[in-house]
Amino acid sequence: MRLIILAVGRLKAGPERELCARYLDRSAKGGRALGLSGPDVTEIAESAARRPEDRMAEEGAALLAALPEAGAVLALDPRGLEMTSEQIAADLAALRDRGSRSLTFVIGGADGLSEAVRGRADRLIAFGRATFPHQLVRVMMAEQIYRATTILAGHPYHKA
């Protein structure tokens, strides 16, 4: 199963980009033995629209256009379900075992996700109720993907 992070905005050079790259590399290496490829990252340009509603709509249309036709979609949204790392790993394994071709984790821009993207998602998940910059959320998502691969592999990285 192909893992994808689809995100609004670009990670500029710096510590967030380096940390994200480190977790993505670790995930790619550990995921191969688990039947996982990627995670690949697709970045969508931030909208320059003046109104937040217009920005969300433009970014939402671009996100929907970039989604693979087949596959599962988990969108990060503060109103989503708070999941444990074990639950994320179990969902990932269940989708893989059911033959899903891909799993895309969608991260919106600073204004959040459009209703169209939220409606397309198979599940909305949250990293708590606090607000985080979307660049930091990308690092957190990359770490959770890596953590899921270690949980599935029985690696001692995850200490529950």
Side-chain angles (χ1 to χ4, degrees):
M1 179 172 69
R2 181 174 165 221
L3 301 177
I4 303 161
I5 295 175
L6 177 58
V8 172
R10 307 221 182 286
L11 276 185
K12 296 168 183 63
E16 295 92 350
R17 184 181 187 133
E18 292 169 17
L19 191 55
C20 192
R22 184 180 320 156
Y23 285 124
L24 294 175
D25 182 57
R26 289 178 182 177
S27 299
K29 290 176 182 170
R32 287 185 201 113
L34 300 168
L36 305 171
S37 67
D40 301 317
V41 176
T42 302
E43 296 178 326
I44 301 299
E46 294 178 65
S47 169
R50 300 187 90 198
R51 296 178 342 130
E53 303 83 25
D54 296 336
R55 284 192 299 269
M56 284 192 311
E58 286 180 14
E59 292 167 355
L63 288 167
L64 290 171
L67 283 172
E69 285 188 29
V73 176
L74 294 182
L76 281 93
D77 186 287
R79 296 168 283 181
L81 176 68
E82 293 183 35
M83 296 178 67
T84 66
S85 296
E86 291 89 349
Q87 289 171 315
I88 293 171
D91 270 9
L92 196 154
L95 288 165
R96 177 202 60 199
D97 295 348
R98 281 193 303 239
S100 183
R101 294 174 49 189
S102 65
L103 171 56
T104 304
F105 298 92
V106 178
I107 302 170
D111 298 304
L113 295 171
S114 69
E115 287 302 316
V117 174
R118 293 177 84 245
R120 169 61 180 88
D122 296 294
R123 181 175 294 185
L124 299 174
I125 62 173
F127 290 145
R129 298 293 174 223
T131 302
F132 297 102
H134 57 281
Q135 298 90 339
L136 186 55
V137 170
R138 191 176 325 180
V139 174
M140 294 164 60
M141 188 72 258
E143 193 281 336
Q144 283 299 295
I145 293 170
Y146 171 63
R147 186 174 295 273
T149 63
T150 63
I151 290 169
L152 296 175
H155 186 279
Y157 175 78
H158 181 69
K159 296 168 180 53

